[in-house]
Amino acid sequence: MSRLIVVSNRVNPPPSPEQGDGESSVGGLAMALAAALREYSGIWFGWSGKTTEKFTGQLSMQRVDGVTTATVDLEEGDYQEYYNGYANKTLWPLFHYRVDLTAYDRSFGEGYDRVNKRFAETLRPLIEPDDVIWVHDYHLIPMARELRRMGVTNRIGFFLHIPWPAHQLVVTLPRHRPLVEAMFDYDLLGFQTEESLQAFEGYVLSEVSGSRTKGGELKAFGKTTRAAAFPIGIDADDFARIKDSPRASKVYDRMLAHSVFRKMVVGVDRLDYSKGLEERLIGFERFLHDNPGMRREVMLLQIAPLSRDEVEAYQDLRSRLDGLIGRINGAYAEMDFTPIRYVNRSYRRDELAGIYRAAKVGLVTPLRDGMNLVAKEYVASQDPEDPGVLILSRFAGAARQLKDALIINPNSPEEISDALSRSLAMDLPERKRRWEALFDNVQTRDVTAWRDDFVSALTSERPDQEEKPAARPLEAGERGAKALSSLAREIRA
Ligand code: ADQ
């Protein structure tokens, strides 16, 4: 295949193959994309994570373990309006159905468009005629529009990692039309679930009088695009392997030693209001209340590394969680045990695998989640001879695939409490039967299958493709920048 250019807001330093045993805390997605980039000798482009006083468009290129990364710094104002603003205070809450937390600030939208344009201008000199470009997530929806405006005619695909919300929520965005119109500059749109796909189609068909072409593409704004669901997976075999690694086993032994005579329930989430952390704690509290006989036999380990700490809604959530956990522990702790252990740090992947394996129950209760990889990681880390039980919110994309989990509504403390009782009492044959079906799905629909499905759909023939306009010749300034492309080639070589 041609070269692959991956574009995402942050470029995760790709873990080297020697780190494959889980040393890195970089997630499976970064591993999979890095592997794809090695295979297709591509480039990973995005924000460096650093800010400068003035935007210069200066690219920093590196080659690490077979992957070329190209990053650019952002101006402080851009960072505030684009990243903390439109991405994390507008699109993230809205797409997770939290209209109450959504900021409709015009300057955020302007910053978002400006940064996408700056990213596109910085990336453009690196693009060669046969490159295939894969843009990731809600930070970068207008990337293709900006690239097309600069004459880029390459195949460009987009994958949305978070849910696409219902029509009535999208229209609360003051500039929803241009946002959706920008999606029609992609050749392929990927969503996590059929539900998100249908919500997107619903908007297109009813809000902007779009239609479906004979070839099955969506047509609106005088353009066509293909849209499909590509549920993301994890590197299941790698997780299943590292759960038996020395580091994972050490963590597993430690966890067991610290929970003698008690069954551990685990929650692992970025500290985010979409993850249903408060609802989970209230459900656990209900369980403790309703099952006095079980109180000394169960403990909840909640791991929640801080995230987006500069955004007020995250600071508020953090202090509410501190209060809630304090209240529950205050009410139910005894001098020799505490019901909830709460940790705000990150762990290596092999350590997480050990923690998952030691937990009799994986409690995953998001109020909305594009997919939720933790649910799949929990399944992949279990001991096949004595697997734990997964309790999963019906509002996680993963619930569409992991039907053999105990599916609950996270808004109901009673449902969480009942599912906990049921999980803790579940006999081995039922646990095994459920786990085998779950693992089969996690293993078959893994991250490599996801990536290959998307890339092959993106590179396949488009049924309704109209002639794309020929690439516009480069202007003087751009020609200078084109020299960078040769630099990129040299670095890759
Ligand atoms: P996230 O919202 O970040 O991802 P999730 O899918 O659960 O949610 O992925 C979190 C990742 O972070 C997992 O790989 C997990 O292991 C890791 N992680 C969490 N806590 C950790 C800790 N303490 N230490 C180390 N690692 C930790 C977004 C969407 C999801 C979608 C993914 C992928 O919101 O719905 O599943 O992208 O598309």
Side-chain angles (χ1 to χ4, degrees), residues 161 192 270 275 303 345 347 369-373 377:
H161 289 260
Q192 295 273 26
R270 275 186 310 99
K275 301 293 180 185
I303 299 177
R345 55 159 286 197
Y347 288 93
D369 217 333
M371 178 55 58
N372 194 291
L373 297 180
E377 291 167 1

Side-chain angles (χ1 to χ4, degrees), residues 25 27-29 92 96 137 159 161-162 192 232 239 268-270 275 303-305 345-348 352 356 369-374 377:
S25 63
L29 175 61
W92 177 273
H96 288 89
D137 230 358
F159 185 78
H161 289 260
I162 65 175
Q192 295 273 26
I232 196 169
F239 246 93
V268 176
D269 315 75
R270 275 186 310 99
K275 301 293 180 185
I303 299 177
R345 55 159 286 197
S346 280
Y347 288 93
R348 293 159 38 132
L352 272 186
Y356 289 137
D369 217 333
M371 178 55 58
N372 194 291
L373 297 180
V374 168
E377 291 167 1

Side-chain angles (χ1 to χ4, degrees), residues 225-270:
T225 187
R226 270 177 307 166
F230 298 89
I232 196 169
I234 60 161
D235 190 340
D237 289 336
D238 190 49
F239 246 93
R241 193 172 53 80
I242 60 172
K243 77 170 195 300
D244 298 318
S245 66
R247 185 86 175 210
S249 302
K250 204 167 145 200
V251 169
Y252 173 80
D253 291 341
R254 262 181 67 195
M255 299 308 309
L256 288 198
H258 281 279
S259 53
V260 194
F261 307 125
R262 295 172 71 194
K263 291 179 174 170
M264 187 170 87
V265 177
V266 77
V268 176
D269 315 75
R270 275 186 310 99

